[in-house]
Every structure is written in C-alpha cells, then in structure tokens.
Amino acid sequence: MKAIRRFTVRTVLPEQLQPLHELALNLRWSWHPETRDLFRSVDPEVWAATGEDPVRLLGDVPAARLAALASDRRFLRRLGDLADDLREYLTGPRWYQTRPPSDAAPLPAAIAYFSPEYGIAAALPQYSGGLGILAGDHLKAASDLGVPIIGVGLFYRHGYFRQSLSRDGWQQERYPLLDPDELAVSMLREVDGTPSRVDLVLPGGRTLAAHIWKAQVGRVPLLLLDSDIEANSPAERDVTDRLYGGGSEHRLLQEMLLGIGGVRAVRAYCRLTGHPAPDVFHTNEGHAGFLGVERIRELVAEDRTGLDFAAALEAVRAGTLFTTHTPVPAGIDRFDRELVARHFGGDAALPGVPVDQVLALGAESWRDGDPKLFNMAAMGLRLAQRANGVSTLHGEVSRSMFNGLWPGFDPAEVPITSVTNGVHAATWIDPAVVRLGAAELGAERAEEAMTTGETRRWTGLERIGNTEVWELRRTLRAQLVEEARRRLHASWRRRGAGEAELGWVSSVLDPDVLTIGFARRVPSYKRLTLMLRDPERLRALLLHPTRPVQIVVAGKAHPADDGGKRLIQQMVAFADDPAVRHRIVFLPDYDMAMAQRLYPGCDVWLNNPLRPLEACGTSGMKAALNGCLNLSVLDGWWDEWYDGRNGWAIPTADESGGALDPDSSEAERRDDIEAAALYDLIEGQVAARFYDRDADGLPQQWIAMVRHTLVTLGPKVLAGRMVREYVERLYAPAAQAQRELAGQQGRGARELALWKAKVRDAWPAVRVEHVEADCPAEAQELGSSLALRVQVALGTLAPGDVEVQAVSGRVDERDRISDACLLSLKPVGGPDLDGRIRYEGSLELCRTGPFGYTVRVLPAHPRLASSAELGLVALPAESAGMDAGLLR
C-alpha cells in the first residue's frame, strides 16, 4: 500500500545533546575526522547502517541511547569541545583574512560560484562525476582558507542515479527520492518565516518558481534551488528532478533556473543574512551562463544607474570568470536557437534585455559554426572578461577549440588561461596517511600542509622510514580488499545469486598483491576497456606465478549512453570469468563513499584516456595524496607534473596533441598500440619494481617513489593551492575591474562601451600600409637589431586607441611565427598628408636560425583584460608582400 503523503518525523534531542544538530547540519563533518568519530561513537551500528550520515543517524538512534549519552560526562565533554572547535573554525581569521597587504588588486568582498552539481559528501548526492567533485572540493578549500564564496546550484530530488548490474552485466539505474528533511540542508526563509522564493517567467504566461535550500559547507553557504513545490504545475515541478536528465527544453529550463534563478537566490540570501554582495561571479562550466544575462537585466531594468545594454554588458563582464572543463565541442551544451528565442522573447522576455542580444551572446558566428544553434560556452566566454581551462594542456586545447571567437589571433593569444585543478586533502587522504604525516610533521603543521598547499610545509615527509611507509601501504590495501569483497558480495546478491553460490567472494583479491585501480565515468574517450584489447595478455598479468597483478574497476555510464553501458558489460563479462575473478573485480555504484576507500588502497592508479581529451583527471591526484603511484597517458594534470619518479607515462601512438574521434578506425589502431605499451609497462616496470624486495622484504625503489610522490605532488595537487591561484590571479583582478567599471553610477562601464563601439565602427579603415626595415644583408648576426618604420592608417581613431606591435620569432617552413616576442612601436610625429601615422622601433635579433617578423595594430585601452578582447587585429596586406619579414 502506497502512502499518499510523505514527511519526516524528527528526533527530539535532549538539551545536553543539542550541539549534535549544529555539528550534523554543517557539512564540515564530512572532512573532519574528530567530528565523524564522535558521531560514530553515538551508535556504531546505526552509523554504519545509515551510510555514515549524521542527520539520518540522529533520526534512527534509539531514544534510550540518547538518554544515556545525555548523562555521559566524557561524551558531553567531547561534544562541547567539538562544538567550540566548529565555532572557532567558522569565525576565526584564516588565510584570506590574514593575507598581507600588497600593491595587488584588493580582494573581493564575496564571490558567487555557480555549478550544476556539487560533490560535498555521499550523504548529499547532488553530483555525477568529476565536475561536481571539483566544485565540492572548491567550496571546501575556500572554507578552509576563509575565502568568502557563496555556492549556487540546483537541488535534484532524485540526485544522480544509483547503479546496479543485471545478471548479464548490463547497467541498471534507479533514482531514489531524496527528502530534504533527511539531509543536511535547511530552507532559506523570509523574515516572516515563509520560504524564500524565486520566480522565472516562461512563455505562454507560465511561471517557474523555486524554493532555496541552504547547505552549510564549513564557512561557505551553498544555495540549492528546488522547483518541486506546490506553486508549480507538474511540468515545472519536474525541472529539478534529476541531474542531467530530460530533453533539450528540460535542460534549458534547468540552466535558466541555475543562472537567472541563482542570481536571484544570491540576492535574497544577502538581503536576509547581511552577507556582502558578490563582486565576482564564477561560472563553473557553461550550464550557468545565463547568470550574466540576469545581471545585465538588474543593471538595465532595476538599477538607477541608467546603463544601457552595452554598458551593462561591460560592467557584468568585468566581474565574471568562466571556467571551461571540456576539451571537445561535443561536451558543450547547445540548444536550438528558436527554443532559446521562445524563452527569452515575447511574454517571457527579460526587461531591458532584447532577445536578439541574448541570441547574439550564444551565436556560433565563427567559420563552420552552426547558425541554428545557441552555444552555452560561447555565451559564457562572451559574458566573462576572464576565462580559464583546468590544466596547462587543457588551456592550450581550449585556446585552439575557441579560437573562432577571436579571429585573426593565433591560438596562443586567445585570452583563456589555465588554473590546474586540485583536490581537497582532508576529504581524500585516508586518516592513516594523515597520522603517519602528523607523526613526522606534527598535527598542526600537517593540517596546515593539507589546507594551504604551500610546498615548504610538506618538507619533512622524506624522513618517514621505509618500514613505516610499507606497513601503511599494506594496511590500506587490506582495507580495500575487505571493502571490495563486501561490495562484490552485495552486487552479486542484487544480480540474483544465492548465498550458496558466493563462497568464492571471500577469497577475492589479496592484500599482498600489486593492486591497480581504475574508476571514472565511462564515455568512450576514457577507454575503460583498453586493458581488454588483448585478453590473454591481461590474463597472464593477473595470474603471473611470481608477480601477479589485481585490478579494481568502477564507473558509471550516462543512462542514455548505451555505448558506455556496453563497455561496462564487456568489463563485467571478463571479470566474471572464474579463472580470473579473484584478480579483477568491477564494483558498481561508484560514488564518493567508494572512492574514499578506493584511492588509498591502490598501489597504482591507471588512467588511459585518448589524449588530449582529459581536461584534468583529478582522480589520480586523490590517489597520489595517499601514496599511490600514477600510470597514465600524458594528459591533463599528469602531462604537467609527471617527472619520471612519481609514476609512469603510457606512451601514445601519436603525441602530436591532435584530438581523434574515439570511435574512428585511426583510434582503433591507436588503442592497439597503446594497450600493448600498457601491458609492457605493467609487466616490465611496474610489477617488476613492486616485487623487487631486499633482504627485509621491502621494495626499496617502490617506497622511494611513494615518498617522492607524497613530498613533491602533495602540495601541487591540493585544492588549497588551486583556490589561492583563483584568488590571486583571477578573483582579485576581476573584483578590481568590476569596481572600476561599476563605480560612479557605472561611469567606467559607459565609457568603455562607447569606446568599444567607436573602435568597432572605425576598424575597417585601420590598415598597416607600409613596413620598411634597415636590413643591409639577408643574413644577420645574433644581437644585432633592425630599425623598423611603419606607416599606419587609423581612420577616425587616435594613436591612443591602438597599439602597433612588431611580432617576431622563429618561423617554420610555411613562414608561421612561433614563440613570438612582442615589441611596441612608438608614433613619431603627427599624421602625414594622407592621414597616416609613422611608428618606429628597434627590433632586436635575439634568436639564431630562421627568423621572421610582422607588424599588427590592436585596440588598446587600460580597462581591457587582454589586447585580444575585442577580437580585432589589422595586419599587413598579403598582396603587398608584407606577410612577414624573413631573416635566415
């Protein structure tokens, strides 16, 4: 019999235990071991049965046990100390508050961080994979550093799916209903106690309304919009039903609610709590891109500054950062242009924001772009003065991928920088690793090392003894073996196996065997089944008589991705073989709880994407923090930080950096080559080193690699390092730019908008008309210089509106300049009779070999973040033979 209504009956805690509610409702417990230990001690069996979720624990623990704890002085003392510790953590100054003053841009009062998903803890399942985990780690690190971030997302009533397997290994999905009353969230309410609400106008007189749930992530509030409320019709109630679910219009409504509704939720939160309004808005991927459109509406329709659309756009861009996470165009959300027009035009139009202006923001206006589509990444980049990829290599890939937005510029000059992702140490380091580090560094210094990512705080770990390191690795491996057996048993029971059939599970895996881990989402480019290219070779590795290998595999395919599901089925079929099933396992339902056991227990973390399609790949970072060595294709972060002593690089068949279609015949050939290289590495180097023991049974070389990994990669891979980079390189400059443009009733924004309009109108008349250089001989000596004289026509522009540059460097066989050096040329005198202005400069010949130069004109203004910002450049006419001057 089905209930007609569902609600939660909360436990009434004794007065002495009330601080437990405070601790449970702040998600800091998810990365604070002492608080987790306290909750575990409330009732270890209930703690385990509730999935280590404090809110559910307090709802399920027997009243008699609570009464006993209320009179347990030792427990109450621990409770009081931890409640005091949390309050000090929430209010005391941290890195952000104690950052020494400098001449750099002032820090923002607040930053609004928008993401479609957040992986904070398994108990709050609002994530699907790496993007969400990264967002969660960003908030946690910001909290630890005291960075005043407000997180914004959606509250998915069904979260992401739970995964199980059929008897034949096919992925099956289920979507449990999430009750917010059973989660660590609270409703944002108005002063009169009613739920705070945001409304979006939809076509046809409809309204999309949402309430706002707040999750407290340490010091950081996370606002989650929920459309499943009675004010909505059934269709609108379902907008926030599932993460990445539904059709095109469903996704568009989710992204409108995230962006537009998210800005309104931030405004409501700041109004109700007194939190400073954000100076900077950070868009984590394109899903939240409409936040810029809403902020333009605020300035045009609500503010008393009287800004028009163009000026408001400049004010919004100045304080916006866009982070792209995808290395392929197929990973970008694109909507039918007419669908977007319908939701931003007519009776659904945003006041002061013409629909044609909205459509222009997302237009694929570049060569080979589709004029019928609206591109969310293009909008994100056009609405943000600053943008970044998530590793050095991904920054390069992104500059090439989005080069069409900046025509006339080489990819290297596209204004997209990079901040390499990091992971939150306290979330992902096993407590046993922390204890080992604390024994050498001291508890306080160990905590600082995990928080800040400062390299000097990690020095000292190199003194940890070999025996201690090896004993730790075996302990962690044994923990993983126990966990894998438990999960494998549960999986087979769900697949229909009887208890009598599963005796073999108790001997699966071995705590003394080299253990390789592979766990991630299952799109084709991540190549889950690369290890299966030669099944007999893999079997030989698994069953080697003296150097065996065991592999733990996990991962989810998108519910609509049958190709990914087939890959999982292939892996499961191989792992089900009685001959090898004690050496390789597939564990379904990969989530944060599994990952926190998996990373520490593996000796090697395997990553074999099709290069360069891995934007960053943070799973290997989490493994490295636990002393696990990486075995990976040189892609993402590994391309940046592999040094030959912290793991192994899988050779690629084509290291030119060009992306291949994962399903092409060329990729098939490449897979065969790279799989063979993988087998050779595992057999000839990885396993050989793991099993090379001294007289005491210790693999000295392996332990040296583990220690080197901890000491050198530890501070680099931290989210604390990442967030500090965002603050110093992007947030602070964005806040300064926003203040300059928005101050004095938007005077700076108006001036910049008018100047840009003037430059765009005048640019067709800007030309490099003549270039000459004193060049007495074709071959020049290193260290000599050329006197350049350039005649430039500026039309109606003044010399102060432009910069004239000489661009020089090595040239290839096609006379393309690489590793360019820039020289600003200076105007000499006024315009000649034809209105041209002469520019001069001395070009130093600083490199030997084929050398070339050219000249160009760029817009110049002190409030541009990049000279490429307008996408305008004037070059010498090819017809005049002045494409480049060549010196050989």
Side-chain angles (χ1 to χ4, degrees):
M1 186 177 298
K2 187 176 181 180
I4 62 171
R5 187 177 178 190
R6 174 194 173 103
F7 54 89
T8 298
V9 180
R10 291 188 179 274
T11 299
V12 178
L13 291 176
E15 183 178 352
Q16 300 93 321
L17 301 182
Q18 285 299 317
L20 285 172
H21 271 312
E22 181 183 353
L23 294 174
L25 289 176
N26 192 307
L27 286 158
R28 186 202 183 208
W29 60 259
S30 67
W31 72 89
H32 193 249
E34 292 84 356
T35 304
R36 292 174 61 83
D37 288 342
L38 177 77
F39 282 119
R40 183 180 293 106
S41 70
V42 169
D43 191 315
E45 290 185 4
V46 176
W47 175 251
T50 56
E52 301 186 354
D53 180 346
V55 175
R56 292 178 58 198
L57 168 78
L58 296 181
D60 291 358
V61 69
R65 175 58 178 162
L66 292 175
L69 290 173
S71 60
D72 184 334
R73 286 184 294 177
R74 185 176 179 182
F75 180 86
L76 294 176
R77 189 161 49 248
R78 287 178 66 199
L79 175 59
D81 289 345
L82 286 170
D84 289 342
D85 179 74
L86 176 61
R87 295 185 193 107
E88 181 181 353
Y89 173 87
L90 296 177
T91 58
R94 304 192 74 81
W95 171 82
Y96 197 82
Q97 289 72 35
T98 58
R99 186 170 177 265
S102 67
D103 295 332
L107 297 177
I111 303 107
Y113 180 91
F114 286 63
S115 178
E117 53 174 304
Y118 289 91
I120 308 295
L124 187 65
Q126 300 290 301
Y127 62 94
S128 72
L131 179 69
I133 302 298
L134 180 278
D137 283 4
H138 196 109
L139 297 195
K140 294 174 190 176
S143 173
D144 291 341
L145 294 171
V147 181
I149 278 182
I150 303 172
V152 183
L154 300 179
F155 182 82
Y156 304 99
R157 287 285 177 150
H158 294 278
Y160 203 52
F161 71 91
R162 303 296 302 272
Q163 178 195 46
S164 59
L165 301 173
S166 67
R167 186 73 189 212
D168 63 355
W170 188 256
Q171 173 179 291
Q172 297 179 319
E173 302 96 23
R174 64 187 190 281
Y175 291 87
L177 178 65
L178 300 177
D179 182 351
D181 289 332
E182 296 177 348
L183 301 173
V185 297
S186 58
M187 180 75 73
L188 184 66
R189 296 185 180 276
E190 298 292 333
V191 176
D192 62 4
T194 59
S196 188
R197 175 176 145 177
V198 298
D199 291 348
L200 274 65
V201 176
L202 301 181
R206 296 177 295 139
T207 299
L208 172 59
H211 288 163
I212 306 163
W213 295 99
K214 179 177 74 73
Q216 194 65 39
V217 186
R219 297 167 70 113
V220 173
L222 170 58
L223 309 179
L224 301 171
L225 284 84
D226 179 11
S227 71
D228 187 15
I229 64 176
E230 292 183 1
N232 284 327
S233 67
E236 278 71 53
R237 291 189 73 151
D238 286 344
V239 166
T240 56
D241 57 351
R242 297 178 181 181
L243 180 58
Y244 302 140
S248 183
E249 183 169 15
H250 186 269
R251 288 288 294 275
L252 177 63
L253 290 175
Q254 283 190 338
E255 299 186 8
M256 289 174 62
L257 182 60
L258 175 60
I260 299 170
V263 172
R264 297 176 186 179
V266 169
R267 303 306 187 202
Y269 177 78
C270 293
R271 170 176 55 82
L272 292 169
T273 65
H275 193 290
D279 302 302
V280 176
F281 286 74
H282 184 174
T283 308
N284 191 40
E285 252 315 338
H287 309 81
F290 290 119
L291 72 86
V293 177
E294 167 64 8
R295 292 173 59 218
I296 291 172
R297 182 201 64 81
E298 289 180 327
L299 292 172
V300 174
E302 291 184 2
D303 228 31
R304 291 180 172 82
T305 58
L307 298 183
D308 60 11
F309 183 93
L313 173 61
E314 297 305 327
V316 165
R317 289 186 74 253
T320 302
L321 167 64
F322 175 75
T323 297
T324 175
H325 290 261
T326 180
V328 289
I332 297 169
D333 276 350
R334 302 157 83 203
F335 296 105
D336 184 273
R337 178 183 172 91
E338 293 305 314
L339 178 67
V340 176
R342 190 161 67 250
H343 284 79
F344 284 89
D347 60 351
L350 292 173
V353 184
V355 64
D356 60 322
Q357 297 280 16
V358 176
L359 295 174
L361 290 171
E364 294 192 352
S365 54
W366 52 88
R367 183 187 302 174
D368 299 327
D370 190 335
K372 296 180 181 179
L373 294 179
F374 184 94
N375 187 302
M376 293 295 290
M379 176 176 66
L381 289 165
R382 287 181 173 123
L383 284 169
Q385 194 176 50
R386 289 164 179 81
N388 71 283
V390 291
S391 70
T392 299
L393 178 60
H394 181 237
E396 296 174 10
V397 171
S398 298
R399 287 188 286 276
S400 294
M401 187 167 73
F402 295 112
N403 198 176
L405 285 167
W406 290 272
F409 290 87
D410 290 338
E413 295 184 289
V414 168
I416 300 176
T417 185
S418 63
V419 176
T420 302
N421 281 345
V423 298
H424 186 246
T427 296
W428 300 109
I429 296 184
D430 190 274
V433 181
V434 176
R435 288 193 294 269
L436 184 64
E440 190 62 48
L441 303 180
E444 183 175 345
R445 186 174 161 205
E447 182 178 353
E448 289 177 348
M450 291 193 301
T451 299
T452 64
E454 294 178 6
T455 302
R456 62 187 175 86
R457 301 192 184 277
W458 287 74
T459 57
L461 290 180
E462 65 275 6
R463 297 191 296 268
I464 298 174
N466 287 355
T467 301
E468 289 80 4
V469 171
W470 192 238
E471 287 178 351
L472 171 67
R473 292 302 316 150
R474 191 189 188 282
T475 297
L476 297 175
R477 203 180 306 117
Q479 287 179 187
L480 174 58
V481 169
E482 181 180 352
E483 177 75 4
R485 289 172 180 173
R486 182 186 67 80
R487 287 179 176 270
L488 189 64
H489 183 276
S491 173
W492 271 101
R493 291 289 287 164
R494 282 192 289 270
R495 292 175 70 181
E499 195 66 42
E501 301 175 69
L502 298 179
W504 60 274
V505 173
S506 62
S507 60
V508 162
L509 305 182
D510 184 327
D512 292 310
V513 168
L514 171 63
T515 304
I516 298 176
F518 183 101
R520 49 192 41 87
R521 290 184 304 110
V522 191
S524 58
Y525 78 87
K526 291 183 181 285
R527 299 194 294 184
L528 168 71
T529 56
L530 185 70
M531 66 180 80
L532 302 182
R533 297 295 289 188
D534 186 342
E536 292 309 313
R537 185 85 186 272
L538 178 58
R539 285 189 182 93
L541 291 172
L542 296 172
L543 303 176
H544 194 284
T546 59
R547 298 201 303 259
V549 172
Q550 59 192 14
I551 306 176
V552 181
V553 183
K556 292 180 175 180
H558 188 280
D561 182 9
D562 283 349
K565 292 180 183 181
R566 281 190 290 273
L567 295 178
I568 290 175
Q569 189 175 42
Q570 293 170 29
M571 177 60 67
V572 172
F574 183 89
D576 283 352
D577 182 350
V580 297
R581 65 188 182 188
H582 63 299
R583 287 282 186 259
I584 182 168
V585 297
F586 181 89
L587 304 180
D589 210 24
Y590 179 49
D591 65 359
M592 290 185 69
M594 182 194 294
Q596 287 169 325
R597 306 291 198 279
L598 187 55
Y599 299 130
C602 291
D603 299 295
V604 174
W605 195 255
L606 174 62
N607 188 31
N608 45 233
L610 194 63
R611 189 180 190 272
L613 302 184
E614 183 81 278
C616 185
T618 55
S619 61
M621 295 180 171
K622 297 160 194 163
L625 280 176
N626 289 281
C628 178
L629 306 181
N630 275 267
L631 171 60
S632 177
V633 166
L634 288 175
D635 201 1
W637 76 277
W638 193 235
D639 179 74
E640 196 169 333
W641 289 332
Y642 166 67
D643 67 4
R645 298 168 58 199
N646 50 18
W648 296 268
I650 302 171
T652 55
D654 173 18
E655 294 187 336
S656 65
L660 295 177
D661 178 355
D663 301 314
S664 68
S665 58
E666 186 178 358
E668 286 285 314
R669 176 188 60 81
R670 179 170 173 168
D671 283 356
D672 287 334
I673 295 172
E674 293 180 13
L678 173 61
Y679 300 136
D680 289 343
L681 268 177
I682 293 175
E683 182 176 29
Q685 297 188 39
V686 180
R689 182 159 295 187
F690 182 86
Y691 289 106
D692 180 17
R693 310 294 169 88
D694 64 9
D696 297 322
L698 298 177
Q700 296 287 351
Q701 288 185 300
W702 188 277
I703 294 170
M705 292 180 72
V706 170
R707 188 183 290 108
H708 178 74
T709 291
L710 290 171
V711 173
T712 61
L713 283 183
K716 290 181 180 178
V717 302
L718 292 189
R721 182 271 313 155
M722 173 189 72
V723 171
R724 285 192 294 114
E725 283 194 44
Y726 273 109
V727 168
E728 293 165 351
R729 293 176 48 205
L730 295 167
Y731 292 163
Q736 177 67 12
Q738 195 275 337
R739 292 182 187 120
E740 290 177 356
L741 266 66
Q744 297 182 307
Q745 299 293 299
R747 177 180 175 182
R750 285 193 197 86
E751 291 176 350
L752 183 58
L754 289 171
W755 178 84
K756 283 188 175 183
K758 177 186 75 171
V759 169
R760 289 190 181 102
D761 288 343
W763 202 255
V766 176
R767 297 185 302 277
V768 178
E769 295 200 342
H770 182 71
V771 179
E772 63 181 51
D774 291 339
C775 186
E778 185 173 340
Q780 299 291 305
E781 293 183 354
L782 181 68
S784 61
S785 60
L786 298 178
L788 291 179
R789 292 178 295 277
V790 181
Q791 296 285 348
V792 176
L794 296 181
T796 58
L797 297 181
D801 294 322
V802 302
E803 181 179 8
V804 179
Q805 295 178 339
V807 183
S808 63
R810 293 187 183 278
V811 290
D812 60 18
E813 65 278 1
R814 296 182 301 158
D815 295 338
R816 299 290 300 178
I817 296 172
S818 61
D819 299 324
C821 294
L822 304 178
L823 171 68
S824 291
L825 305 180
K826 304 300 180 184
V828 179
D832 61 15
L833 293 177
D834 295 319
R836 300 176 303 181
I837 296 176
R838 188 173 73 180
Y839 284 78
E840 295 183 354
S842 180
L843 177 64
E844 182 180 355
L845 306 183
C846 57
R847 299 174 185 175
T848 58
F851 187 91
Y853 69 89
T854 188
V855 176
R856 67 183 182 181
V857 186
L858 302 170
H861 192 282
R863 290 197 170 110
L864 295 181
S866 161
S867 58
E869 186 170 315
L870 274 74
L872 299 175
V873 59
L875 296 166
E878 292 184 4
S879 59
M882 296 183 295
D883 186 41
L886 300 180
L887 302 169
R888 299 184 185 276

